[in-house]
Amino acid sequence: EGASAAPFSRAGFCLLLPARRRLPVLRMKLPQLLATLLLVVASGLRLPPLSRRGVIGAAFAASAPALRAVAAYGEAANQAPPALVPSPFYPTGEMAKTCEVVAAGREDVCLKPLKMLSAYDEMRLRKASDALKAAGSSTPASDEAVRLIGLVEAKEWATLAGELGCTQPKTPDAAPKKCVTSVAGLDVAKLAAAVSKKDPALMTDALVKLAASL
């Protein structure tokens, strides 16, 4: 059998078959060829000078690319899960400032981004905060207004909702409910409504009007 361990090819296998059966084998795809080789081995047919060991070796050699492909797929499958299923948990860290819902098991993938402050809204908030600080008379109401403006500027949405006494919803995509309407003597009803809608533009409008009223 040592002499039969020479390299084996599809064409070589065809030469062992009758002439009328060679063309169909040449046209076979890899799965069909492997099945034919295994059938030959299982049936115990005598194929001199090629031994069973040579046929089996040829089958494994022919299947090597397919086996490598399967191995590569398995390695890829062991990496990261598909980022398709929403996570039931709140985003954390910096992602919580820009994202409302992340993928399950993939907090680096945002499935539902939050509305963001525009450059114009950031300018309006900064001017409102500067005006309150420059007034010279610090009061609990003005200090609270500056604090609320700072939370919106920093995109600290969870802290802002907590400051307004909003009830945290069970799922990240749900809106905060039951926010208070007064904080440190400030009428924050419009701000609370904007927080419930998760709309930074409406929050900016509410805070600018609130700062102007002090």
Side-chain angles (χ1 to χ4, degrees):
E1 292 189 358
S4 62
F8 177 76
S9 65
R10 186 193 300 250
F13 175 64
C14 290
L15 292 176
L16 302 175
L17 300 175
R20 60 188 178 84
R21 294 185 180 179
R22 291 176 186 175
L23 186 58
V25 171
L26 284 171
R27 291 176 176 174
M28 284 183 182
K29 294 184 179 179
L30 178 60
Q32 295 171 310
L33 179 61
L34 292 177
T36 302
L37 289 172
L38 294 176
L39 180 61
V40 168
V41 175
S43 62
L45 293 178
R46 303 178 67 88
L47 294 175
L50 189 66
S51 67
R52 293 185 184 182
R53 182 181 299 175
V55 173
I56 295 173
F60 278 108
S63 63
L67 293 174
R68 283 195 296 269
V70 171
Y73 176 81
E75 290 174 2
N78 288 332
Q79 291 178 0
L84 301 174
V85 181
S87 172
F89 303 107
Y90 285 87
T92 58
E94 290 299 313
M95 185 63 82
K97 297 181 179 181
T98 58
C99 186
E100 186 173 0
V101 179
V102 295
R106 294 288 306 276
E107 195 166 319
D108 60 317
V109 177
C110 182
L111 298 182
K112 186 178 181 181
L114 287 166
K115 295 179 181 179
M116 301 303 297
L117 281 169
S118 65
Y120 176 64
D121 288 335
E122 290 178 347
M123 181 195 69
R124 294 174 66 201
L125 288 172
R126 185 168 55 252
K127 291 179 67 174
S129 180
D130 291 344
L132 289 173
K133 294 175 182 177
S137 57
S138 176
T139 64
S142 62
D143 291 344
E144 183 63 22
V146 170
R147 173 173 168 75
L148 294 173
I149 290 173
L151 291 175
V152 174
E153 289 179 315
K155 305 177 183 66
E156 296 289 349
W157 311 121
T159 306
L160 176 63
E163 190 75 11
L164 297 176
C166 303
T167 302
Q168 188 180 46
K170 294 181 179 180
T171 57
D173 57 340
K177 300 293 184 182
K178 299 179 181 178
C179 301
V180 299
T181 57
S182 178
V183 175
L186 293 175
D187 182 0
V188 293
K190 291 183 179 180
L191 177 60
V195 170
S196 295
K197 294 178 181 178
K198 301 182 180 181
D199 192 328
L202 295 179
M203 297 179 203
T204 300
D205 291 339
L207 284 169
V208 169
K209 292 178 180 177
L210 183 63
S213 67
L214 297 177

